[in-house]
Amino acid sequence: MTSPAVLCSAMQRHRALFKQWLLVSGRKSRASSAHLPMPPTLSKHNGQLQPRRRQFHWTTRSRSQDVEFTHVRYNVQRLGFAAVTTEDMMFFDSLLPGRVVTDPDILEASNVDWLQTLRGRSQVLLRPQTTEEVSQVLRYCNDRNLAVNPQGGNTGLVGGSVPVFDEIIVSTAQMDNIISFNTNSGVLSCQAGCILENLNNYLEERDFIMPLDLGSKGSCHIGGNVATNAGGLRLLRYGSLRGTVLGLEVVLANGMVLNCLSSLRKDNTGYDLKQLFIGAEGTLGIITAVSILCPRKSAAVNVAFLGCDSFEKILDIFKESKSMLGEILSAFEFLDYSCREVVCEHLKLRNPLQEAPFYILIETSGSNNDHDQEKLNHFLEKVMTCGLVTDGTMATEENKIKAIWALRERITEALVHDGFVYKYDISLPLERIYEIVIDMKNRLGVRAKRVVGYGHLGDGNLHLNIVSEAYDQQVLDSIEPYLYEWIAQHSGSISAEHGLGFKKKDFIYFSKPRAAVQIMQQMKAILDPKGILNPYKTLPPFSQ
């Protein structure tokens, strides 16, 4: 048995190395807003190193040390997993030299979620670089009954990416190589740790784009996107990840590597196993590589930002957009006045329109700019003539397009500066979407500082956000489970694109029948019989 002195020396060595790395990279100092640029890093593609930039979403709204431990706030009992020993640390150190993190200061960022509402107490973070290393880590942890918490960019909003207790964090941050890209088929294969924005930048240089776009694209990982079946801003045009992901490489709990990294669009041989892991939030296996179908970059992109005085008129505008814009319609987003107010107040963004109860962002993408602008102009002329729109502006230049998109994409960031945020990602029939926002405003009254609604109208996805001055259990009790009951009564889903994670796992029955949940639990038991992968997440215990 290795002596405590040897373990202490190893840990001190890790701390010194990673503190030095932090100081060099600038990660020791947190920024006061999102999109903190990081120094260039290198990625190997076809044997050549290529520069790449990373961006991380951080906030200094409160110190992470002030966040209450998750197991204390939610009264969670630790399951019977083993604790990390000296021998375990020596194994990890030999397998991943220089890539075992034990410094509490560094671990803190991976123990706390982006919203700073959940906090684990993991004492070990591993940074594998290859699928084989992930395989050896999981095989060892499974044999030792050590719980594992897979983690990508840690941008999740339901607590699926941070530990609840002392689970070993397995980060994909250093698994960020592009494996291949085929310009004929548009199929990109890459490791799971590639940052979404970096992938999109890589593809744009080749006249392609990622089929997925998110506000957290500067720091989220493609593996995490797939693991949560992220929706995003382009779903209306390109569909969900379940349709665009062609293949996956996944490491199972026992270390077995499941290589289904196909690049074929049609493969009708047996069960489509990759679908098991899309949206499973790392509870069935760790995604290590992704094969995804990427569309060509549109030659013509136009954005219209419109003001509207009622949600009923938004629905009428949406109908007209589908009819008149058809194949070039790529996004239809809406936000209410409170959303516009909060981004202008906290982020100092400029609103190009006069004040209105609602705003709509419409994007078109096509191959012929004259054709697209003509269609868009006819559409805008009709909705303004009919009195559906009170004010509007159109942008064709890239910098102006980005400025308009920022009013929509940075709402989450702005709300964090406004107070404690209770975030809900739900889907409802279109005609019901905004009713719940009004209902919640009336229900909470002055206890809520702000209740806002925004989202992707094209796929019925509403982001309901409620802000109070500080965390208030009485406010939370007034929201849940009332909100989930309301959603179930109106044939909606309690999670549209963020997953269930830790926060929503016990409410799954509001969206799925018990028989379906039981089958999910059985699948979990088959693929991860010891339950070491992302425990306490996604599914309720068998007893429920």
Side-chain angles (χ1 to χ4, degrees):
M1 179 177 293
T2 306
S3 68
V6 173
L7 176 62
C8 180
S9 176
M11 288 187 172
Q12 288 176 346
R13 184 171 69 255
H14 289 314
R15 291 185 183 185
L17 287 172
F18 275 92
K19 280 184 175 178
Q20 182 181 16
W21 173 73
L22 279 180
L23 291 172
V24 171
S25 66
R27 300 188 188 198
K28 193 71 173 179
S29 301
R30 292 192 173 192
S32 59
S33 63
H35 300 300
L36 176 67
M38 304 306 300
T41 56
L42 294 176
S43 174
K44 185 177 290 185
H45 176 56
N46 290 339
Q48 297 181 344
L49 292 175
Q50 300 181 340
R52 184 184 69 257
R53 293 190 68 84
R54 290 187 178 180
Q55 293 180 320
F56 290 79
H57 290 269
W58 279 334
T59 175
T60 56
R61 178 175 56 84
S62 63
R63 295 185 306 139
S64 59
Q65 291 85 351
D66 295 334
V67 180
E68 189 175 16
F69 282 115
T70 302
H71 72 277
V72 175
R73 171 179 287 184
Y74 292 91
N75 191 28
V76 183
Q77 298 298 312
R78 187 181 185 277
L79 299 177
F81 299 112
V84 177
T85 66
T86 302
E87 286 73 17
D88 299 331
M89 290 300 301
M90 297 305 295
F91 171 80
F92 295 139
D93 189 45
S94 63
L95 177 65
L96 308 172
R99 290 176 282 130
V100 180
V101 182
T102 56
D103 189 316
D105 294 335
I106 304 172
L107 279 164
E108 194 66 33
S110 293
N111 268 310
V112 180
D113 70 324
W114 186 81
L115 289 173
Q116 297 197 342
T117 59
L118 299 173
R119 183 183 178 198
R121 48 183 177 85
S122 175
Q123 300 178 47
V124 182
L125 183 149
L126 308 178
R127 294 179 179 270
Q129 294 177 336
T130 67
T131 298
E132 177 57 28
E133 288 178 344
V134 175
S135 174
Q136 291 191 49
V137 166
L138 289 191
R139 185 182 303 115
Y140 182 88
C141 289
N142 191 60
D143 290 342
R144 282 275 298 115
N145 197 31
L146 293 167
V148 172
N149 183 100
Q151 189 174 94
N154 196 16
T155 60
L157 300 177
V158 290
S161 60
V162 291
V164 175
F165 289 97
D166 56 348
E167 299 90 88
I168 295 171
I169 300 173
V170 177
S171 169
T172 57
Q174 293 192 16
M175 300 183 67
D176 57 357
N177 288 325
I178 292 173
I179 299 170
S180 66
F181 177 63
N182 189 313
T183 55
N184 292 320
S185 64
V187 177
L188 171 76
S189 295
C190 63
Q191 287 186 298
C194 289
I195 293 173
L196 180 60
E197 188 170 42
N198 292 340
L199 290 177
N200 201 67
N201 292 340
Y202 170 88
L203 290 170
E204 282 191 340
E205 294 175 357
R206 293 154 179 79
D207 290 325
F208 286 80
I209 62 171
M210 289 294 288
L212 176 70
D213 189 17
L214 303 170
S216 60
K217 58 191 171 188
S219 51
C220 64
H221 296 183
I222 186 61
N225 299 149
V226 174
T228 57
N229 191 29
L233 307 170
R234 291 175 176 164
L235 191 142
L236 176 64
R237 178 67 173 270
Y238 301 116
S240 71
L241 284 175
R242 292 195 180 278
T244 55
V245 171
L246 302 180
L248 292 177
E249 180 185 70
V250 183
V251 180
L252 303 183
N254 62 2
M256 178 187 294
V257 177
L258 180 64
N259 189 343
C260 294
L261 202 62
S262 172
S263 61
L264 300 175
R265 296 188 65 179
K266 301 185 75 173
D267 181 2
N268 200 19
T269 52
Y271 302 139
D272 191 359
L273 293 179
K274 69 176 183 293
Q275 294 294 341
L276 286 176
F277 305 95
I278 301 175
E281 302 184 76
T283 60
L284 300 180
I286 296 182
I287 296 172
T288 52
V290 177
S291 177
I292 189 166
L293 180 64
C294 303
R296 291 300 297 259
K297 181 181 179 181
S298 297
V301 177
N302 299 284
V303 167
F305 193 57
L306 311 174
C308 184
D309 57 19
S310 74
F311 189 77
E312 290 71 23
K313 289 184 178 179
I314 290 181
L315 295 179
D316 291 336
I317 295 169
F318 181 52
K319 294 175 187 175
E320 289 294 336
S321 70
K322 290 194 294 181
S323 174
M324 297 186 68
L325 299 177
E327 79 287 351
I328 65 171
L329 180 63
S330 55
F332 193 105
E333 302 285 309
F334 87 95
L335 55 145
D336 60 18
Y337 173 81
S338 293
C339 292
R340 198 282 306 163
E341 185 180 47
V342 76
V343 295
C344 293
E345 176 182 342
H346 293 293
L347 306 181
K348 308 304 178 185
L349 301 185
R350 188 183 71 85
N351 178 26
L353 306 182
Q354 64 185 15
E355 292 187 358
F358 295 95
Y359 298 91
I360 306 168
L361 190 156
I362 296 174
E363 181 188 80
T364 63
S365 302
S367 59
N368 187 308
N369 196 50
D370 291 338
H371 168 266
D372 293 0
Q373 285 195 24
E374 182 180 2
K375 294 190 73 168
L376 185 57
N377 285 331
H378 286 165
F379 163 76
L380 294 175
E381 182 180 356
K382 180 172 182 179
V383 295
M384 296 193 79
T385 301
C386 295
L388 296 176
V389 170
T390 58
D391 192 13
T393 185
M394 191 171 78
T396 58
E397 299 175 9
E398 185 176 2
N399 61 333
K400 293 181 179 179
I401 289 174
K402 288 182 177 180
I404 290 177
W405 264 113
L407 291 168
R408 162 62 184 87
E409 287 187 314
R410 299 184 68 185
I411 295 172
T412 296
E413 177 189 348
L415 287 168
V416 171
H417 293 278
D418 204 43
F420 186 90
V421 188
Y422 309 83
K423 300 187 69 66
Y424 298 94
D425 153 57
I426 62 179
S427 59
L428 287 163
L430 291 184
E431 62 276 5
R432 297 285 190 181
I433 281 185
Y434 203 73
E435 286 182 14
I436 186 58
V437 181
I438 298 172
D439 188 292
M440 200 55 67
K441 285 181 181 179
N442 294 332
R443 179 175 176 84
L444 296 176
V446 296
R447 289 179 295 170
K449 178 181 178 181
R450 198 187 304 266
V451 179
V452 307
Y454 63 97
H456 324 297
L457 196 70
D459 51 46
N461 183 185
L462 171 72
H463 296 295
L464 171 67
N465 285 233
I466 299 160
V467 183
S468 61
E469 293 292 347
Y471 173 77
D472 188 330
Q473 185 63 43
Q474 291 184 340
V475 171
L476 182 60
D477 290 341
S478 295
I479 300 171
E480 302 174 11
Y482 173 82
L483 172 63
Y484 300 133
E485 293 169 348
W486 196 100
I487 293 169
Q489 289 170 4
H490 295 88
S491 304
S493 171
I494 66 169
S495 180
E497 61 182 5
H498 291 168
L500 295 169
F502 172 81
K503 292 182 177 180
K504 290 184 176 183
K505 70 179 190 303
D506 292 327
F507 300 110
I508 189 173
Y509 297 108
F510 287 103
S511 294
K512 291 290 187 291
R514 289 192 174 272
V517 176
Q518 288 174 358
I519 292 174
M520 294 179 199
Q521 292 170 328
Q522 291 166 5
M523 290 166 56
K524 167 74 171 174
I526 292 172
L527 293 177
D528 181 17
K530 293 185 177 181
I532 68 166
L533 288 175
N534 224 8
Y536 320 102
K537 317 282 179 60
T538 307
L539 296 177
F542 271 96
S543 59
Q544 293 180 241

